[in-house]
Amino acid sequence: MKGPLFYSKILLFGEYGIIKDSKGLSIPYNFYKGALKIADQPDEKALASNRSLARLANHIEELTSHDIDFPPFDIAAMRADIEAGMYFDSSIPQGYGVGSSGALVASIYDKYATDKITVLENLTREKLLILKDIFGKIESFFHGKSSGLDPLNSYLSLPILINSREDIEPAGIPSQLATGSGAVFLLDSGMVGETAPMVNIFMESMKKEGFRKMLKEQFVKYTDLCVEDFLSGNVKGLFGNVKKLSGTVLDNFKPMIPQQFHDLWKKGLDSGDYYLKLCGSGGGGYILGFTEDLEKAEKALKGYKLEVVYNF
């Protein structure tokens, strides 16, 4: 058995903000992918994945029996496959903010939901919200609380525009310029980040009035402008707003930025060679970078591993 491939994703804009109804923009990233497989001779990684799937099956069974809004799943077939050694064979790094659990959730829904919404249907806003809700409930097994956006992106393999929590739609993004010197890139922090502790820090900060004010008047405002600029192809406006967003994050989200990257973050803001922002919840994993001149950014970030995800 080998299931279809599901890809990683990158939330270009909207991390933390979408909790407070900012806009968001999520794109598939086909460099990393995963599929359900059954191995004849599983290695330790496959065995660990298999054990995790067995626990996930319990979680899904719990949902099907206690949540009236949750769709039926063929739990018996899932358990039989797990028993036969099924695992999730994935190149998506875990704890890096690129949706490793999202791709897994998408593949499980695709294979075992008995009355599923398929990618070929006319995907109305209502259907997208239903999918997002189902995916969020399944993915909560990994993160405690999930928006469901990562699995949705992986399942549809389409860019998704988040207008608000109750308003999401597939988005057309400007086509990439193969010859463009500007780029969005991933910078490897070299350490794994954990979502739950970072979200807890954010929720604690939300209790302070000053933080809530900053979130609304700066963070959400610049995030929304970045999404609008990116979708309309306004590159000049985009870099102005990404710079403001990067500065706001450095000033107010320090715990989410690994300590050794604080100076590098500031160096980019001061020089204008690149601007950094969080990729997912932060705390490690990838950091997202934006530059108008990739060569300059590569020189300034010599010694770091950069992966280009989009060219301007």
Side-chain angles (χ1 to χ4, degrees):
M1 177 198 117
K2 187 179 182 304
L5 288 169
F6 288 91
Y7 296 102
S8 54
K9 64 84 208 155
I10 292 170
L11 185 63
L12 281 185
F13 302 105
E15 71 294 336
Y16 292 109
I18 52 176
I19 297 175
K20 289 288 139 204
D21 266 359
S22 80
K23 284 185 186 292
L25 182 64
S26 184
I27 62 169
Y29 182 42
N30 297 358
F31 186 72
Y32 296 122
K33 48 197 164 291
L36 292 168
K37 283 186 185 173
I38 291 178
D40 296 333
Q41 293 173 308
D43 57 13
E44 191 38 57
K45 195 179 163 201
L47 290 169
S49 171
N50 178 262
R51 291 191 291 271
S52 174
L53 286 177
R55 294 191 296 275
L56 181 61
N58 295 338
H59 173 70
I60 293 171
E61 186 163 31
E62 185 84 359
L63 286 167
T64 53
S65 53
H66 293 103
D67 185 335
I68 52 163
D69 295 326
F70 197 77
F73 269 66
D74 191 344
I75 301 287
M78 185 175 171
R79 286 206 195 282
D81 287 341
I82 291 166
E83 199 66 29
M86 181 173 74
Y87 69 105
F88 191 58
D89 183 25
S90 166
S91 65
I92 308 169
Q94 292 187 355
Y96 263 67
V98 286
S100 56
S101 57
L104 167 55
V105 168
S107 65
I108 291 290
Y109 175 82
D110 180 64
K111 185 152 181 61
Y112 299 106
T114 53
D115 182 20
K116 66 183 183 191
I117 294 169
T118 72
V119 205
L120 304 171
E121 290 175 40
N122 171 21
L123 288 167
T124 60
R125 195 177 120 214
E126 190 186 1
K127 281 181 187 169
L128 289 175
L129 287 172
I130 290 168
L131 275 173
K132 180 175 168 291
D133 181 60
I134 294 165
F135 290 149
K137 286 170 179 171
I138 301 174
E139 198 180 33
S140 67
F141 168 76
F142 298 99
H143 296 319
K145 186 165 174 34
S146 161
S147 68
L149 273 169
D150 287 6
L152 184 65
N153 201 300
S154 190
Y155 185 63
L156 301 178
S157 219
L158 291 168
I160 291 169
L161 170 64
I162 302 110
N163 293 306
S164 69
R165 258 179 301 192
E166 295 305 308
D167 185 2
I168 55 176
E169 57 183 307
I173 62 171
S175 47
Q176 301 194 47
L177 295 176
T179 52
S181 58
V184 182
F185 59 87
L186 293 174
L187 176 70
D188 190 344
S189 73
M191 55 200 281
V192 170
E194 282 189 55
T195 301
M198 294 298 120
V199 173
N200 289 342
I201 292 169
F202 175 78
M203 289 318 217
E204 276 304 303
S205 303
M206 283 299 290
K207 293 175 183 172
K208 301 180 194 122
E209 194 186 335
F211 187 86
R212 290 199 302 272
K213 191 172 188 294
M214 171 282 302
L215 199 76
K216 186 178 172 196
E217 292 175 7
Q218 295 173 52
F219 189 77
V220 169
K221 178 186 163 188
Y222 299 141
T223 296
D224 287 359
L225 288 168
C226 284
V227 171
E228 285 159 22
D229 289 339
F230 186 89
L231 289 176
S232 64
N234 177 4
V235 177
K236 194 176 180 329
L238 174 69
F239 279 96
N241 286 313
V242 165
K243 182 178 183 177
K244 289 173 187 163
L245 183 59
S246 180
T248 302
V249 172
L250 184 61
D251 291 343
N252 300 282
F253 288 79
K254 277 216 166 72
M256 286 77 165
I257 304 170
Q259 183 69 43
Q260 63 271 42
F261 286 90
H262 291 187
D263 289 346
L264 203 66
W265 203 287
K266 189 170 186 326
K267 194 178 128 190
L269 282 165
D270 293 344
S271 68
D273 290 344
Y274 59 87
Y275 303 120
L276 301 178
K277 65 179 288 297
L278 296 173
C279 179
S281 55
Y286 285 120
I287 293 165
L288 209 47
F290 288 74
T291 179
E292 289 184 87
D293 187 333
L294 186 59
E295 263 180 51
K296 256 191 195 170
E298 284 174 329
K299 269 191 198 129
L301 295 165
K302 198 172 178 328
Y304 290 93
K305 205 173 107 196
L306 268 59
E307 277 176 39
V308 173
V309 298
Y310 187 92
N311 285 102
F312 294 104

